[in-house]
Amino acid sequence: WLAKSGKRWRPFLALCAYEALRDDPEAPAPADFRKIAVAVECFHKASLIHDDIEDNDPLRYGEQTLHAAYGIPIALNVGDFLLGEGYRLIAESNAPDARKTAMLRAAAGGHRSLCTGQGDELAWARSPKPLPAQPGLDIFRLKTAPAFEVALRLGALYGGAADSVWQVLHECSDALGIAYQVRDDMDDLFGDPPPTLPVCFGPSILLALAHERVEGRADGDARRLLDALWRSPALARQKAEELRAVLTALAIETAARQMLESYREKAIRSLQPLENASLKGLLRRVIAKIFNELET
C-alpha cells in the first residue's frame, strides 16, 4: 500500500528542506535520511486509509480503497501499522537525540491536528447543514496543512535548522495546505475530463462559495439543489452533472481558482522572513512546481 500511486510531495518537501540547509546541497543525501522521508510517506498513507474509511470512499488512485478491497478491520490495522512504522523510523534514525525528540514531537503534533480537523468534519457529518466558506477553510487548515508542515519540519530538523524558521514554515504550510485542498475540490467536479465516477462531498469550499451566492434567494433550482446536497452529501453521487451545471452558472470555478491563487501567493509571501536564501528559493520553486503539475 505504501508503494501505491501518489505524487510523493510530502517526502519530497522533507528532502528539499533538508537539502537547503546542508553545507553541500549537491552531495547525495545520506542513506539515514531515507528513514525520515519514508516516515513522512507512512504518515500520509495512514491518514488516507483512515480518511477513506471515515468517508466511506470506494476509490483511491482509481482503484478500490483498502477497506473496500479487504474490509475495515484489515484497513484499520494497516493504517495503524504505518503510523507505528513512521514513528519507529524517526526513532531509529541517526539524528542527535535532541533533534530526534523534536522530530517525534512535530510528528505527534501534526497527527493530533489532523485528527482534530477530521473530528470537526465527522461532527458536521452527524448533522449536515450549509457550512460557510471560513469554517470550511478552518477544517482544511487542520486536515491538510499539518501534513505539509510535518514534512517540512522533519526535513529542517534533521538538517539542524534554527528556531527562527518554525513560524515561517507554519504559515507557509497553512496556506499551502488550503490551496492544495481547494485544488482537490476543484478536481472533483472540474477535472479535465470531468470525473465520470460518483462523487460525494464532505465540507466543500465549492459548495460553500455557491451557497453564499444563492443565500437569500427565496426560490430557484440552484438554491434547492445546494440545500439538498448540504443536508445529504451522498446525493452528489447521483447529481454530479446537475451540480457541475449549477456551479458553472454561478462562476464558482473562477471564484475557487481566485481563492487558490490567493493562498498560493500567501504561501510564497510567507517565505520572505527566511534568512536562509537557499531554503527560501528552493521552497518557492517547489510550491510553483506543485501547482504547475496540478494544473497540467
Side-chain angles (χ1 to χ4, degrees):
W1 181 256
L2 192 61
K4 285 278 187 182
S5 300
K7 294 184 179 296
R8 309 290 194 271
W9 285 122
R10 292 154 190 84
F12 182 64
L13 281 170
L15 177 62
C16 288
Y18 169 66
E19 292 279 4
L21 293 164
R22 301 176 71 195
D23 293 333
D24 182 6
E26 300 300 322
D32 186 63
F33 183 79
R34 296 176 189 172
K35 295 176 183 176
I36 306 304
V38 174
V40 169
E41 189 69 2
C42 282
F43 294 142
H44 178 54
K45 283 295 198 295
S47 74
L48 296 183
I49 292 170
H50 290 162
D51 191 58
D52 287 341
I53 293 170
E54 292 166 340
D55 293 344
N56 197 26
D57 282 333
L59 296 171
R60 171 74 65 179
Y61 305 131
E63 301 178 20
Q64 278 190 306
T65 49
L66 199 64
H67 74 277
Y70 298 102
I72 289 176
I74 287 178
L76 283 173
N77 195 53
V78 172
D80 290 346
F81 176 85
L82 287 174
L83 289 172
E85 185 71 353
Y87 286 113
R88 180 189 70 81
L89 287 165
I90 294 172
E92 293 184 4
S93 73
N94 293 329
D97 287 347
R99 293 185 193 176
K100 195 180 299 185
T101 299
M103 284 191 287
L104 290 168
R105 183 178 293 116
H111 186 181
R112 183 179 182 278
S113 293
L114 187 151
C115 291
T116 301
Q118 186 67 12
D120 287 344
E121 182 172 318
L122 291 170
W124 168 85
R126 295 188 69 173
S127 182
K129 58 185 177 181
L131 192 67
Q134 190 55 53
L137 291 176
D138 290 341
I139 289 177
F140 291 167
R141 185 173 281 110
L142 288 169
K143 280 191 59 176
T144 308
F148 289 109
E149 183 170 1
V150 167
L152 289 170
R153 276 182 174 268
L154 294 189
L157 282 164
Y158 193 92
D163 291 344
S164 60
V165 308
W166 304 132
Q167 184 60 30
V168 173
L169 294 184
H170 173 74
E171 293 178 6
C172 178
S173 301
D174 187 270
L176 178 59
I178 292 176
Y180 196 90
Q181 188 63 50
V182 171
R183 178 71 248 185
D184 200 47
D185 263 15
M186 292 173 67
D187 284 344
D188 278 340
L189 282 168
F190 295 111
D192 187 18
T196 56
L197 296 168
V199 292
C200 181
F201 280 109
S204 162
I205 192 60
L206 298 180
L207 292 186
L209 292 171
H211 188 269
E212 288 177 354
R213 294 201 173 184
V214 301
E215 193 172 15
R217 296 184 185 179
D219 53 16
D221 293 339
R223 172 69 182 269
R224 284 190 289 272
L225 175 64
L226 291 170
D227 282 350
L229 288 173
W230 272 117
R231 288 175 170 79
S232 182
L235 283 176
R237 299 173 184 272
Q238 306 161 21
K239 297 184 178 291
E241 292 305 323
E242 289 179 59
L243 180 56
R244 287 188 190 103
V246 166
L247 296 181
T248 299
L250 293 171
I252 297 304
E253 183 178 12
T254 299
R257 191 175 297 279
Q258 289 171 347
M259 180 178 285
L260 186 157
E261 291 296 330
S262 172
Y263 277 98
R264 174 164 60 177
E265 288 302 315
K266 185 177 180 180
I268 293 172
R269 288 197 308 272
S270 72
L271 300 174
Q272 290 177 357
L274 281 178
E275 297 178 1
N276 185 307
S278 178
L279 182 59
K280 182 190 299 184
L282 186 57
L283 289 179
R284 281 177 174 166
R285 292 194 297 275
V286 170
I287 291 169
K289 181 178 176 62
I290 288 174
F291 288 101
N292 284 341
E293 288 208 4
L294 286 174
E295 293 291 339
T296 56

